């Protein structure tokens, strides 16, 4: 049993990495066609992680004319929970930007798959090399008691969107529209693969299960999380310029719930 666990935590050989995506794709999307277009979807990651336990991933979407997106999958193929975040829109979005700080267990392909309102799927992919830290089993970075004391606290930061190096081509015609909402979450995001450094017992799995975002009193989007979210994760979503009030509600896998709201008087 111990040998099997150690083997599961070691970086996958190259052949295994190459074989993972076809199986994941089949399990998640069956035989549906996944279109590729850098004018519709792009994914932005570092070539190599500086910190395996906290690495930003950004996905940008721009729907073809007459269509809008209703769902976005962020998939870290070789992580223990490959479907690392699932974003569902209450009302389909024509253009959108999503970012989150993620935990990389080892080198892995990364896929972003977005679904249009007509069911068409679009995919973008990249590959991320890591520093060999095995972040999903690495010890927590904060004291467990301190982490529990602040668990569920959130801070909302609203700011103008800024241009990035790898925008979807459709965005390049003009400056980014709307605002960016950063949701800074206090949560240990335990993977279930980490050991308590004193007792050496495994720390039970506990992570952000859902993050619901409301704008101007109405539901906007829901993110379903996983153990791939970093400790104290930050989630960023683009929001319309007319947003006047933001509310975020968090529920974790132990049933802890919290909520924070902010009026945007300056916007």
């Amino acid at each position: 049993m111990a040998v099997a666990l150690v083997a599961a935590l070691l970086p996958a050989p190259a052949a295994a990495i190459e074989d993972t995506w076809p199986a994941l794709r089949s399990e998640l999307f069956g035989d549906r066609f996944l279109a590729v277009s850098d004018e519709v979807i792009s994914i932005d990651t570092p070539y190599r992680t500086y910190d395996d336990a906290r690495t930003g991933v950004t996905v940008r979407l721009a729907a073809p004319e007459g269509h809008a997106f209703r769902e976005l999958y962020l998939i870290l193929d070789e992580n223990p929970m490959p479907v690392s975040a699932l974003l569902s829109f209450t009302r389909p979005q024509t253009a959108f930007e999503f970012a989150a700080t993620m935990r990389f267990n080892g080198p892995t392909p990364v896929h972003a798959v977005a679904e249009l309102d007509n069911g068409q799927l679009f995919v973008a992919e990249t590959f991320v090399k890591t520093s060999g830290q095995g972040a999903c089993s690495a010890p927590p970075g904060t004291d467990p008691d301190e982490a529990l004391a602040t668990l569920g606290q959130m801070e909302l930061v609203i700011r103008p969107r800024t241009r990035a190096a790898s925008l979807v081509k459709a965005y390049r015609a003009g400056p980014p529209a709307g605002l960016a909402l950063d949701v800074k979450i206090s949560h240990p995001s335990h993977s279930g693969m980490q050991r308590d450094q004193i007792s050496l017992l495994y720390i039970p799995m506990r992570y952000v299960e859902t993050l619901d975002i409301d704008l101007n009193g109405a539901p906007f989007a829901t993110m379903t999380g996983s153990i791939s979210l970093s400790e104290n994760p930050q989630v960023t979503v683009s929001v319309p310029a007319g947003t006047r009030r933001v509310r975020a509600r968090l529920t974790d896998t132990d049933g802890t719930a919290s909520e924070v709201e902010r009026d945007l008087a300056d916007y």
Side-chain angles (χ1 to χ4, degrees):
M1 181 71 173
V3 173
L5 178 59
V6 171
L9 300 183
L10 291 174
I17 290 176
E18 291 175 359
D19 290 341
T20 300
W21 173 239
L24 282 172
R25 170 178 172 159
S26 177
E27 181 178 351
L28 293 169
F29 309 110
D31 59 359
R32 297 168 65 188
F33 176 67
L34 274 65
V36 177
S37 173
D38 58 8
E39 294 188 0
V40 174
I41 182 170
S42 68
I43 185 167
D44 186 12
T45 63
Y47 171 73
R48 185 186 298 275
T49 60
Y50 175 75
D51 180 359
D52 292 358
R54 190 178 185 85
T55 296
V57 177
T58 301
V59 180
R60 298 180 178 92
L61 305 173
E65 187 174 354
H67 294 283
F69 289 100
R70 63 188 183 192
E71 212 161 47
L72 170 65
Y73 294 77
L74 177 60
I75 302 167
L76 278 57
D77 296 17
E78 294 300 323
N79 265 23
M81 292 180 71
V83 180
S84 299
L86 171 62
L87 198 67
S88 301
F89 305 112
T90 304
R91 289 183 295 179
Q93 300 294 306
T94 57
F96 196 79
E97 185 171 331
F98 168 75
T101 53
M102 308 303 291
R103 170 190 282 148
F104 282 77
N105 196 51
T108 180
V110 179
H111 289 86
V113 178
E115 182 176 4
L116 290 175
D117 47 12
N118 65 356
Q120 174 64 60
L121 298 172
F122 281 86
V123 62
E125 63 180 340
T126 188
F127 189 92
V128 175
K129 294 186 176 182
T130 54
S131 304
Q133 298 165 351
C136 289
S137 57
T142 55
D143 178 85
D145 292 333
E146 292 179 6
L148 288 175
T150 61
L151 187 149
Q153 293 182 7
M154 291 182 284
E155 178 186 359
L156 303 180
V157 177
I158 196 79
R159 55 183 172 79
R161 289 178 60 198
T162 56
R163 183 167 299 285
S166 58
L167 289 171
V168 170
K169 283 187 175 180
Y171 285 178
R172 293 176 182 163
L179 305 168
L181 170 66
D182 299 325
V183 185
K184 300 181 179 182
I185 302 169
S186 179
H187 198 286
S189 193
H190 291 145
S191 68
M193 300 162 60
Q194 301 155 300
R195 289 181 184 268
D196 183 289
Q197 295 304 288
I198 297 176
S199 69
L200 298 183
L201 297 175
Y202 283 103
I203 302 170
M205 180 186 296
R206 187 174 186 179
Y207 59 87
V208 175
E209 187 167 39
T210 59
L211 177 66
D212 295 299
I213 297 173
D214 294 354
L215 304 182
N216 300 329
F220 177 65
T222 296
M223 184 198 75
T224 302
S226 73
I227 64 170
S228 295
L229 289 172
S230 73
E231 184 176 347
N232 298 325
Q234 177 173 312
V235 175
T236 299
V237 295
S238 55
V239 298
T243 301
R244 293 292 175 265
R245 181 182 299 171
V246 175
R247 179 168 59 186
R249 295 188 302 276
L250 175 152
T251 304
D252 79 358
T253 50
D254 273 26
T256 297
S258 61
E259 184 175 303
V260 64
E261 189 169 353
R262 179 182 169 186
D263 289 321
L264 310 181
D266 296 336
Y267 295 92

